[in-house]
Amino acid sequence: MTNPDGARLLIVGPPGAGKGTQAVRIAETYGIPAISTGDIFRANVRDETPLGVRVKAILDAGDYVPDSLTNELIQDRLAQPDAQGGFLLDGYPRTADQVAFLDTLLDSHGLALTAVVQLVADRDEIVERLRKRAVEQGRSDDTEDAIRHRQDVYLRETGPLIDEYASRGLVLEVDGLGSIDEVGDRIDAALASRDIRPTAAA
């Protein structure tokens, strides 16, 4: 984390809003790594790193990975060379303690978050989109009730974090409905409003 000019971004959005797809696109367009906590967990477990061994033991026991260990994994990932010029976090932070840790970590390098991209979409339209996808993929367990429950969990967990970042003026709301390119163009326009622009190579 040595480049103060690099974009340091978060992306948030409800299940079904295409967050993962847009995260990949942002990473490619802006020349920064998309960092997903799920990917970090899997990579460390696969590579049997000391952190990965600890994560595997917790997951094998059916427990949640505690904030302290998630924070360690994020700190380790952000210290890697490809994240020195900026990054896009997906799935972190999820709690107030994680927000505080990330603030402290960035501040220790004289840095701060640049922006939070929030994909927003009409709840009923998202439910309908996911329900159709479940039918197409033969996932009978993905009922409308289950889909709506995941939306509730997202709102409950993410709402306070969005409020916190909104109070700092960091949140950029982007309509998440439409084609991948349409949503991507809206994200580009929102980031450009903060003078965050694609890399020359993109």
Side-chain angles (χ1 to χ4, degrees):
M1 291 181 290
T2 55
N3 179 6
D5 299 321
R8 293 170 300 281
L9 308 173
L10 306 184
I11 185 167
V12 296
K19 182 165 59 79
T21 300
Q22 292 301 332
V24 171
R25 183 187 179 281
I26 291 170
E28 292 174 349
T29 304
Y30 294 87
I32 55 178
I35 298 173
S36 155
T37 45
D39 290 346
I40 295 174
F41 288 169
R42 285 186 287 274
N44 277 273
V45 170
R46 183 191 65 234
D47 297 341
E48 298 182 344
T49 67
L51 287 172
V53 170
R54 289 162 60 193
V55 169
K56 186 174 188 303
I58 291 166
L59 295 178
D60 285 350
D63 294 325
Y64 288 108
V65 177
D67 280 358
S68 57
L69 183 49
T70 302
N71 290 340
E72 279 189 70
L73 288 161
I74 288 290
Q75 182 172 13
D76 177 71
R77 180 64 184 86
L78 293 183
Q80 293 174 23
D82 66 334
Q84 300 311 297
F87 53 80
L88 172 68
L89 289 172
D90 175 5
Y92 180 95
R94 285 183 184 271
T95 67
D97 284 347
Q98 290 178 2
V99 169
F101 180 85
L102 183 61
D103 285 344
T104 301
L105 177 62
L106 293 176
D107 188 58
S108 71
H109 294 273
L111 303 172
L113 282 178
T114 315
V116 177
V117 176
Q118 180 191 7
L119 295 181
V120 295
D122 179 78
R123 179 177 172 130
D124 289 336
E125 290 202 41
I126 284 188
V127 169
E128 183 63 18
R129 177 194 290 184
L130 291 178
R131 202 179 57 75
K132 282 182 180 174
R133 185 189 302 172
V135 170
E136 289 167 2
Q137 296 177 354
R139 288 158 50 188
S140 58
D141 59 323
D142 226 357
T143 63
E144 181 170 334
D145 284 346
I147 292 168
R148 288 188 181 276
H149 175 69
R150 288 201 298 275
Q151 301 288 321
D152 289 338
V153 170
Y154 164 77
L155 288 172
R156 188 170 64 245
E157 289 185 349
T158 313
L161 306 186
I162 293 171
D163 290 344
E164 169 62 28
Y165 286 126
S167 74
R168 305 182 194 181
L170 291 174
V171 175
L172 300 170
E173 278 196 11
V174 176
D175 181 0
L177 293 177
S179 71
I180 292 172
D181 286 343
E182 285 169 344
V183 176
D185 287 345
R186 290 178 203 140
I187 291 172
D188 290 345
L191 291 174
S193 75
R194 299 293 173 89
D195 210 28
I196 302 167
R197 305 190 184 280
T199 58

